Amino acid sequence: PSTAVCRGPEAPPYSARTLVWIAPMPHWLVIDLEATTAEGGWPLEEMEIIEIGATLVAAADARELDHFQRFVRPVRRPLLTHFCRDLTHISQANVDGAAHLNTVWEAFERWLAQHRPRLAGWASWGDYDRRQLEQEWRQHGLTSQLSEVPHVNLKQRFGEVRQLPRPVGLNAALQLAGMSFQGQQHRALEDARNTARLLPLVLPVEH
């Protein structure tokens, strides 16, 4: 049988039967938050986000495609405790010079919109980040495209895949996977990037 061939001013001269449409690989977003706290910890209701870190990665190999990082100025307790500054390495000047969450979240949503069509879901290490975000969305009357895609608790999923007796911290999980933490711990973007390294070991690859 003959082979149909594309011809025309806008069509390249190749066989139409060789055209194959390949579906784009899905992307995952990994988010980590840093929040106000003190020694001994605060209840979730008293904490406020002071840094957002997000890395967009390819689902197959966790290769970073884009990232987002912003400091956030807290409202209820604008002065960071000494414990919080030491833990996160976030200075008072960092948050004093930052915008409030409403402005930062608007910037995040604009950034996220360009990636939304290929976003399969978002993940975090543990459930804290999801709960903190949902709390502050309610408090500030915010909406998010994140509510339209599934959330995965990678800490829980890692424990299930490895059949661990109880969930472990990010550092321990990396060590179990033969990795070590890269960068500064307890900074949002660095924590998100290290969490994303475990993604291919936890989530099935979609083809």
Side-chain angles (χ1 to χ4, degrees):
S2 61
T3 300
V5 177
C6 298
R7 290 285 187 260
E10 297 181 359
Y14 48 70
S15 169
R17 293 186 182 181
T18 65
L19 295 178
V20 178
W21 182 79
I22 301 175
M25 290 296 291
H27 298 163
W28 275 84
L29 187 68
V30 179
I31 294 178
D32 185 84
L33 307 174
E34 300 303 327
T36 54
T37 189
E39 191 168 4
W42 285 345
L44 183 76
E45 296 74 20
E46 296 182 25
M47 300 172 71
E48 292 177 89
I49 297 170
I50 56 173
E51 186 184 22
I52 299 172
T55 177
L56 183 81
V57 299
D61 57 8
R63 175 174 48 90
E64 184 174 276
L65 305 169
D66 201 355
H67 67 270
F68 179 95
Q69 185 278 334
R70 292 288 191 284
F71 292 115
V72 181
R73 188 191 306 178
V75 176
R76 296 194 303 276
R77 289 174 167 162
L79 294 179
L80 303 182
T81 64
H82 181 74
F83 175 84
C84 183
R85 296 195 306 272
D86 281 353
L87 177 69
T88 62
H89 296 272
I90 296 174
S91 69
Q92 188 64 47
N94 289 147
V95 295
D96 286 347
H100 293 304
L101 183 63
N102 292 49
T103 301
V104 173
W105 198 253
E106 183 180 347
F108 175 83
E109 289 292 323
R110 287 197 305 269
W111 173 81
L112 181 60
Q114 63 188 317
H115 302 298
R116 175 65 184 87
R118 294 177 65 177
L119 190 65
W122 71 284
S124 60
W125 192 258
D127 211 33
Y128 157 74
D129 304 272
R130 179 190 63 80
R131 294 171 58 218
Q132 184 73 45
L133 280 174
E134 291 180 350
Q135 169 182 276
E136 301 217 23
W137 292 343
R138 291 191 299 270
Q139 290 175 345
H140 296 276
L142 301 172
T143 59
S144 178
Q145 298 162 86
L146 293 179
S147 61
E148 302 169 1
V149 295
H151 170 263
V152 173
N153 179 337
L154 288 180
K155 182 177 183 178
Q156 181 181 52
R157 188 69 64 88
F158 183 87
E160 292 169 352
V161 169
R162 291 297 180 109
Q163 298 183 325
L164 302 177
R166 63 184 62 84
V168 297
L170 178 57
N171 260 328
L174 288 166
Q175 291 171 8
L176 286 171
M179 307 178 194
S180 59
F181 194 98
Q182 297 178 351
Q184 178 65 60
Q185 297 182 45
H186 301 298
R187 286 298 303 272
L189 183 56
E190 309 240 9
D191 282 1
R193 283 172 167 164
N194 280 278
T195 300
R197 295 167 64 200
L198 296 169
L199 199 65
L201 307 180
V202 175
L203 297 182
V205 177
E206 299 179 27
H207 295 287

